[in-house]
Amino acid sequence: MSPTTHSFITGVIAALYGVAGLFFLSFWRRTRDGLFVAFALAFGLLALSQTLLALAGLEREEQSWVYLIRLLAFLLIIAGIVRKNLEGRRR
């Protein structure tokens, strides 16, 4: 795959992550549920990660420091789900 094609696809993925983050943010505005804010922040971090990959020209993300941003995003999702489940047990 050419570097231009790789950068284009990475940019499209970053934009879609951003759209998903805005989608969850709109749900949070309506419900004020913390799970939606966790997902919105996580997708924002995933968009940032993809953007940095495209700008830095890194083709193997698993071998770069950018992978840590992606790891943080998934940890946010896990924390949001665990918090939501613990909250449901208390009620």
Side-chain angles (χ1 to χ4, degrees):
M1 182 181 319
S2 74
T4 304
T5 305
H6 183 266
S7 292
F8 175 76
I9 292 172
T10 303
V12 168
I13 292 170
L16 292 175
Y17 279 144
V19 168
L22 291 174
F23 186 69
F24 282 111
L25 194 60
S26 72
F27 277 138
W28 174 76
R29 283 189 189 138
R30 278 190 262 155
T31 64
R32 297 293 182 200
D33 188 351
L35 181 63
F36 291 131
V37 99
F39 271 89
L41 290 172
F43 276 103
L45 285 173
L46 290 171
L48 174 68
S49 171
Q50 288 297 121
T51 302
L52 291 174
L53 283 174
L55 293 177
L58 301 172
E59 292 189 19
R60 305 236 11 220
E61 113 181 59
E62 68 274 3
Q63 294 180 345
S64 70
W65 56 270
V66 178
Y67 188 74
L68 295 175
I69 298 172
R70 194 170 188 194
L71 176 64
L72 179 61
F74 286 110
L75 289 175
L76 266 173
I77 291 172
I78 292 169
I81 291 170
V82 168
R83 182 177 169 267
K84 182 72 172 178
N85 285 333
L86 291 177
E87 194 177 277
R89 286 185 182 174
R90 291 182 189 147
R91 290 182 184 179

